[in-house]
Amino acid sequence: MKYINYAVCAGLLSLMGCASLKNSDETSYAGYVNPFIGTDFTGNTYPGAQSPFGMVQLSPDNGLPGWDRISGYFYPDSTIAGFSHTHLSGTGAGDLYDISYMPVTLPYHEAPAPLGIHSKFSHKDEKAHAGYYQVKLTDYDINVELTATARCGIQRYTFPKAESAVFLDLKKAMNWDATTDSHIEVVDSVTIRGYRFSEGWARGQRVYFETRFSKPFMAVHIDSSAILSSADTTAKSAKRIGTAFKARFDFKTAAGEQVTLSTALSGVSMEGASKNLKAEVPNDDFDYYLKEAEQNWNHELGRVAIETKDKEEQVNSIQHYTIQCWHRQFSVMLMVLTWGRTGRYIRLKVGPIIARSHFGTPIELRIHYLPI
């Protein structure tokens, strides 16, 4: 093996191409990533789960608009109002938040819009690393875990003994985003599908989805309302432009019972989402897909091996390096279907995002260059 020694600082590491180097050891780089970096002040990042360059960015939303909540999540907040499948990171543009699910026990808490159905949470009951996010919804005693494949988001809810429900609100929008049309249909006792069209920072957004529940729902309640061209519903110029759908799926859960939701996205059609779900998440095994996500992140982040004589210095260097590469690898989003057809649009306006960290004085690193 050939070794090349460099004296580098954080600026050089942030400019290194993450896709051209490979690491040889079995270090769990996914565990070094702290997704909460950048979620405070105006970092505008989200802490949720995503695979490298994935189409899905499954993450919690605080439910309130505002500059600090552009990515849907703001660390000082104490509420969660849903877990949606698309997010932008570090852009300063509030958009996406597509296909938002929220688990509850009955009766649930609902505030006036824009917050709506929500729960309190505490950071002591929250954790995350690359490919994984977990939080406890305090008001309902529900533990939520998230992971993702390239085109699918997987959620695992651990319920108490209760009359429980899962809400899907396709009208829910924040910041610059606004629903223009939507649809929900029940395929069978464990499967639903639909779409959400919206306008925001990006024009003419179309997201199709299919979701499979690991447990049959006892009942389904679907409500719809008109979406008008004007916020003033009394204006003569206000015309119906679409339909806003909201659904509730009811369950009776035992203490500690787990229900897994697997949702595939498509930029083309509901049929495309169905094929993506069958191809990437054919089973309801959350732990399997979590392990797969962690392995994918370890492969990507492990393309560079960092060695120093000081163990603490090495750990700090790895932490700084992995968070920078982690951000870089979800700044471009996959929009190609498993069955070969590309989407109607590709959201590639988001440039590489470099997390700025301070290393202090330059340190000597040993970097292993290996063939890919």
Side-chain angles (χ1 to χ4, degrees), residues 201-252:
W201 185 48
R203 305 300 182 202
Q205 301 172 44
R206 297 188 176 190
V207 176
Y208 300 86
F209 72 94
E210 180 165 301
T211 297
R212 184 184 67 244
F213 294 75
S214 64
K215 177 185 175 78
F217 29 82
M218 295 172 54
V220 182
H221 311 270
I222 299 179
D223 296 321
S224 63
S225 59
I227 299 175
L228 303 179
S229 59
S230 172
D232 182 2
T233 58
T234 63
K236 292 183 179 180
S237 60
K239 297 180 180 179
R240 182 173 185 146
I241 59 173
T243 304
F245 274 85
K246 181 177 181 178
R248 190 182 97 185
F249 306 92
D250 291 343
F251 303 89
K252 182 175 288 186

Side-chain angles (χ1 to χ4, degrees), residues 38-57:
T39 61
D40 201 348
F41 194 50
T42 55
N44 294 155
T45 66
Y46 57 85
Q50 180 175 353
S51 67
F53 305 112
M55 180 180 180
V56 168
Q57 309 87 41

Side-chain angles (χ1 to χ4, degrees), residues 302-354:
R303 293 179 184 273
V304 169
I306 299 175
E307 294 181 1
T308 70
K309 295 179 180 179
D310 184 274
K311 182 64 176 178
E312 182 179 354
E313 194 172 58
Q314 181 186 30
V315 170
N316 290 337
S317 300
I318 291 174
Q319 288 175 332
H320 285 297
Y321 160 74
T322 54
I323 190 63
Q324 292 179 55
C325 282
W326 179 70
H327 277 289
R328 287 171 66 93
Q329 293 191 44
F330 60 59
S331 62
V332 178
M333 305 171 189
L334 176 71
M335 284 296 289
V336 179
L337 306 183
T338 57
W339 46 287
R341 186 178 174 189
T342 57
R344 295 174 184 266
Y345 62 94
I346 302 178
R347 293 191 288 260
L348 295 180
K349 293 184 178 180
V350 189
I353 301 164
I354 299 173

Side-chain angles (χ1 to χ4, degrees), residues 6-293:
Y6 287 89
V8 297
C9 62
L12 288 178
L13 273 178
S14 67
L15 294 175
M16 291 170 57
C18 299
S20 62
L21 307 173
K22 187 176 181 179
N23 180 42
S24 60
D25 62 28
E26 298 300 323
T27 302
S28 179
Y29 284 94
Y32 280 105
V33 174
N34 179 3
F36 296 105
I37 292 176
T39 61
D40 201 348
F41 194 50
T42 55
N44 294 155
T45 66
Y46 57 85
Q50 180 175 353
S51 67
F53 305 112
M55 180 180 180
V56 168
Q57 309 87 41
L58 181 55
S59 191
D61 296 317
N62 296 133
L64 297 171
W67 174 253
D68 292 327
R69 302 169 182 86
I70 286 296
S71 69
Y73 181 96
F74 184 45
Y75 195 82
D77 281 345
S78 60
T79 59
I80 288 178
F83 301 88
S84 59
H85 286 72
T86 60
H87 292 83
L88 294 175
S89 180
T91 62
D95 204 352
L96 307 187
Y97 325 112
D98 295 295
I99 322 303
S100 176
Y101 285 97
M102 180 66 184
V104 300
T105 56
L106 306 181
Y108 54 86
H109 300 157
E110 185 169 12
L115 182 58
I117 298 169
H118 67 282
S119 173
K120 294 287 188 180
F121 79 102
S122 170
H123 292 304
K124 68 180 179 63
D125 297 321
E126 182 185 38
K127 61 184 178 182
H129 59 258
Y132 179 74
Y133 173 86
Q134 175 271 327
V135 69
K136 181 179 180 180
L137 301 179
T138 306
D139 293 347
Y140 310 119
D141 194 26
I142 297 173
N143 188 62
V144 177
E145 297 172 277
L146 312 178
T147 192
T149 65
R151 301 166 182 84
C152 302
I154 304 100
Q155 306 179 63
R156 181 165 66 185
Y157 306 146
T158 303
F159 287 95
K161 182 179 180 180
E163 299 291 329
S164 303
V166 177
F167 279 91
L168 170 60
D169 190 350
L170 298 185
K171 185 179 181 181
K172 193 171 186 64
M174 294 182 294
N175 297 312
W176 305 0
D177 180 54
T179 304
T180 57
D181 197 15
S182 65
H183 177 70
I184 298 173
E185 63 182 57
V186 177
V187 178
D188 55 41
S189 63
V190 295
T191 311
I192 65 167
R193 65 180 187 174
Y195 57 78
R196 180 177 185 263
F197 299 168
S198 60
E199 293 283 340
W201 185 48
R203 305 300 182 202
Q205 301 172 44
R206 297 188 176 190
V207 176
Y208 300 86
F209 72 94
E210 180 165 301
T211 297
R212 184 184 67 244
F213 294 75
S214 64
K215 177 185 175 78
F217 29 82
M218 295 172 54
V220 182
H221 311 270
I222 299 179
D223 296 321
S224 63
S225 59
I227 299 175
L228 303 179
S229 59
S230 172
D232 182 2
T233 58
T234 63
K236 292 183 179 180
S237 60
K239 297 180 180 179
R240 182 173 185 146
I241 59 173
T243 304
F245 274 85
K246 181 177 181 178
R248 190 182 97 185
F249 306 92
D250 291 343
F251 303 89
K252 182 175 288 186
T253 56
E257 183 174 1
Q258 294 181 329
V259 178
T260 300
L261 274 65
S262 302
T263 300
L265 303 187
S266 167
V268 174
S269 65
M270 292 186 291
E271 291 74 17
S274 179
K275 291 180 179 180
N276 287 344
L277 186 61
K278 290 181 175 66
E280 290 193 357
V281 187
N283 304 306
D284 299 319
D285 190 342
F286 180 92
D287 291 326
Y288 174 86
Y289 299 112
L290 171 59
K291 184 177 180 180
E292 184 180 70

